[in-house]
Amino acid sequence: MQEAIISKAKQLLADGTVNRVIGWKKGEFAYDITPAIFESAEEIDADFVYDDFTSANVSKYLVKESKKEGKVLAFLKPCDTYSLNQLTKEHRVKRENIYVVGIPSDGKLDAEKIKAKGITGITGVEKDGDTLKISTIYGEETMPVAEAMSNKCLSCKSKKHVTYDELIGEDGEVIDSNRFGMVEELENMTSQERYDFWRNELSKCIRCNACRNVCPACTCENCVFDNPDSGVQNKAAADSFEENMFHIIRAFHVAGRCTDCGECSRVCPQNIPLHLLNRKFIKDINSLYGEYQAGADTTSRAPLNDYTQDDCEASIVHERGVE
Amino acid sequence: MQVNENKEFQPLIVAFCCNWCSYAGADLSGTNRLNYPTNVKIIRVPCSCRVNPMFILRAFQKGADGVILCGCHPGDCHYTSGNYFTRRRMTLLFSMLDFLGIERDRTRVEWVSAAEGAKFAATMNEFTEAVKKLGPNRRLEDLRCRKQ
Ligand code: SF4
Ligand code: SF4
Ligand code: SF4
Ligand code: FES
């Protein structure tokens, strides 16, 4: 895949379709692949990487990149195309300045899951059927691919690209991956159990804001959490109220716009399952206002920008079973 | 007005009322000399849809034990459709609070018209009772704001 992507990038640069490419390059370790801009074939040859650790969704970078001179080339996985569509719909990107090449994805790996098996000093990985071959500075190790798969890929919602100018490989289908399973489990707990669960999770938050910064739906020029008068600007929460507030408001602001790309949970250094909050909103929206997938198109009205006269009353929440 | 002399727990209730219907409804219940608890603090907003989720959370932060949002009946909003948006927003917000394990009975939306002074008083009495049963808000409180 890496060769195909690199040659496509060089070709589009050479024939002038685009004047830069947004891709990825290696970070300090083999598994911390970071987004990067490339402007020439030489730069691509030197640094461009695309492998099983390349999970970063580059669509958010297009907010800034698409406003610059000339076209930019972006390689998008199926889930990333939903983010781009949503940004296009919200007029946050200039779609005409972006050349999208859709690339297939068979799931990305989570280095933390590999390290949790006691495997360290990772220098590279290779999928061999269901087995993952891991080379480390201490020699070769193996483990099942499924156990190293990142959570966001385990609950993949679609292998279909919803926007692209060109595809590498075959397009896939929307799939059903039981992504609401964990939300349901929580819903079936008692209120006290849910409270304890979230206290335990949210109290780990260090307010690094990574979840907000990475989120393709969070593109406000002035974020409420950067307001110096709010008392919550970039600081560790002083108590449980602030933790709850940050998480409720962050999730609420993207309700109906969150494409469930999973980036927020992926980048959280504290491994807080943030996407469960977003998924709760998605699940509620689906069940109360009709199935809706943000980013699936560029014309539909977002559920919170819409209403019908016979929507349910808020009391529906109070009438639910299980307390 | 009631004066409570015993020391039983008195919840603090914040009621966001839209200017055109519910606030007038509250006024009417006053001019009709109907009783509703002094624990209810009314905050007037231009329309129920002015209330952003942060307002609800901030009310809890500053010491509310229950928050109720009142607006014109669906179809009667002074700005035509504000309350329809409110309805979706608050449904989702309350559901999220419930998902986080925060007692769902601490929040409520009620439609009260300018003519419904009696409904306003009854709603406030009933809501205050419900919140009183739950006791003080502990799950969504800001310790730094606790009085004592
Ligand atoms: S990424 Fe995680 S730790 Fe950082 S602010 Fe978000 S939830 Fe908190
Ligand atoms: S909230 Fe999380 S899952 Fe939703 S769009 Fe943002 S990063 Fe993606
Ligand atoms: S948290 Fe809210 S205000 Fe901040 S960037 Fe996201 S959507 Fe915008
Ligand atoms: S003016 Fe009363 S709800 Fe909009």
Side-chain angles (χ1 to χ4, degrees):
Chain A
M1 185 46 57
Q2 174 164 325
E3 292 75 59
I5 291 181
I6 289 185
S7 71
K8 176 56 72 186
K10 286 192 196 163
Q11 178 212 323
L12 291 168
L13 269 179
D15 68 17
T17 312
V18 298
N19 65 8
R20 58 212 193 283
V21 181
I22 174 154
W24 306 266
K25 64 176 186 190
K26 274 210 171 58
E28 196 141 346
F29 303 100
Y31 43 82
D32 58 357
I33 311 286
T34 18
I37 304 280
F38 301 87
E39 288 179 346
S40 66
E42 294 71 55
E43 285 175 21
I44 292 180
D45 279 330
D47 284 328
F48 199 105
V49 208
Y50 182 81
D51 62 11
D52 291 322
F53 285 126
T54 313
S55 350
N57 173 355
V58 296
S59 45
K60 184 170 186 178
Y61 295 86
L62 295 169
V63 173
K64 289 225 167 74
E65 283 303 319
S66 72
K67 287 172 189 146
K68 296 182 185 163
E69 204 60 42
K71 265 197 169 190
V72 55
L73 167 61
F75 292 99
L76 301 183
K77 305 189 290 304
C79 48
D80 307 343
T81 60
Y82 284 79
S83 311
L84 178 60
N85 244 3
Q86 184 64 28
L87 288 166
T88 309
K89 176 171 156 180
E90 294 173 1
H91 309 285
R92 300 295 288 131
V93 293
K94 284 197 176 145
R95 182 65 178 82
E96 64 277 14
N97 283 350
I98 309 166
Y99 193 88
V100 177
V101 174
I103 49 175
S105 170
D106 55 356
K108 298 296 172 188
L109 305 176
D110 180 349
E112 295 302 321
K113 289 193 178 180
I114 302 176
K115 288 194 221 159
K117 295 266 179 201
I119 302 171
T120 51
I122 306 164
T123 54
V125 283
E126 197 192 327
K127 281 182 190 161
D128 182 10
D130 292 336
T131 320
L132 184 66
K133 289 189 188 152
I134 308 150
S135 34
T136 74
I137 49 174
Y138 309 110
E140 183 123 339
E141 301 268 4
T142 58
M143 74 184 279
V145 171
E147 289 178 23
M149 194 76 96
S150 71
N151 287 338
K152 80 175 215 178
C153 295
L154 285 174
S155 54
C156 176
K157 63 183 179 298
S158 172
K159 299 270 184 213
K160 183 179 149 77
H161 294 83
V162 288
T163 178
Y164 57 83
D165 296 296
E166 182 175 339
L167 277 182
I168 294 184
E170 292 283 301
D171 205 4
E173 290 298 322
V174 173
I175 52 177
D176 180 13
S177 52
N178 185 32
R179 60 191 169 119
F180 298 114
M182 187 63 195
V183 175
E184 271 158 30
E185 251 175 63
L186 275 161
E187 284 172 347
N188 292 329
M189 291 181 180
T190 62
S191 172
Q192 182 68 48
E193 285 167 343
R194 279 198 297 273
Y195 181 74
D196 295 340
F197 172 87
W198 284 112
R199 244 4 5 271
N200 180 37
E201 293 295 345
L202 301 185
S203 59
K204 293 188 275 193
C205 177
I206 53 173
R207 270 308 297 284
C208 63
N209 283 343
C211 49
R212 177 204 62 180
N213 294 351
V214 80
C215 173
C218 271
T219 58
C220 306
E221 301 279 330
N222 293 309
C223 172
V224 282
F225 300 117
D226 288 338
N227 175 358
D229 296 331
S230 66
V232 292
Q233 183 196 27
N234 289 327
K235 68 176 170 63
D239 65 13
S240 63
F241 173 82
E242 283 189 356
E243 283 156 4
N244 280 327
M245 184 189 66
F246 173 73
H247 291 279
I248 295 169
I249 299 296
R250 186 202 63 83
F252 195 93
H253 282 187
V254 297
R257 310 191 298 119
C258 160
T259 61
D260 204 356
C261 70
E263 287 289 273
C264 46
S265 297
R266 182 180 71 81
V267 299
C268 177
Q270 300 291 81
N271 289 319
I272 299 171
L274 284 173
H275 59 283
L276 292 178
L277 298 174
N278 304 304
R279 284 207 185 134
K280 168 66 178 163
F281 278 130
I282 297 175
K283 183 167 178 285
D284 279 347
I285 287 171
N286 284 346
S287 68
L288 300 173
Y289 310 122
E291 291 282 321
Y292 184 82
Q293 171 61 54
D297 60 74
T298 52
T299 49
S300 62
R301 273 184 91 135
L304 282 175
N305 277 347
D306 202 6
Y307 65 89
T308 66
Q309 295 189 348
D310 32 49
D311 281 340
C312 59
E313 294 295 336
S315 56
I316 193 166
V317 176
H318 306 94
E319 286 149 13
R320 281 186 191 145
V322 200
E323 177 51 79
Chain B
M1 293 238 168
Q2 290 166 344
V3 178
N4 285 296
E5 272 158 356
N6 51 11
K7 292 252 169 60
E8 68 166 332
F9 165 65
Q10 289 304 330
L12 179 66
I13 308 288
V14 170
F16 289 99
C17 293
C18 93
N19 182 40
W20 302 99
C21 280
S22 310
Y23 193 79
D27 241 3
L28 184 66
S29 91
T31 40
N32 285 350
R33 300 188 172 274
L34 296 169
N35 273 338
Y36 70 86
T38 50
N39 331 15
V40 178
K41 309 293 177 212
I42 296 179
I43 298 179
R44 181 165 64 160
V45 286
C47 172
S48 64
C49 82
R50 173 66 184 89
V51 176
N52 114 16
M54 192 82 119
F55 290 11
I56 309 265
L57 301 187
R58 289 281 190 215
F60 282 117
Q61 176 185 27
K62 306 275 153 118
D65 298 298
V67 179
I68 182 165
L69 170 52
C70 302
C72 316
H73 284 267
D76 291 346
C77 172
H78 189 73
Y79 308 99
T80 320
S81 54
N83 51 7
Y84 288 124
F85 294 103
T86 306
R87 185 157 68 175
R88 283 199 172 187
R89 278 180 212 154
M90 291 303 138
T91 307
L92 291 181
L93 176 68
F94 295 175
S95 178
M96 177 54 68
L97 291 177
D98 181 40
F99 190 62
L100 290 172
I102 292 147
E103 304 94 334
R104 54 173 100 135
D105 292 334
R106 290 194 190 280
T107 44
R108 190 180 292 190
V109 171
E110 205 67 62
W111 310 122
V112 179
S113 82
E116 293 177 324
K119 177 174 179 186
F120 183 86
T123 304
M124 292 305 151
N125 281 315
E126 193 204 318
F127 185 59
T128 308
E129 274 316 304
V131 175
K132 195 183 273 182
K133 281 206 199 84
L134 289 174
N137 161 31
R138 289 285 175 261
R139 293 190 183 173
L140 196 57
E141 76 168 341
D142 191 327
L143 285 171
R144 296 163 299 178
C145 296
R146 200 193 276 189
K147 292 188 196 71
Q148 258 148 44

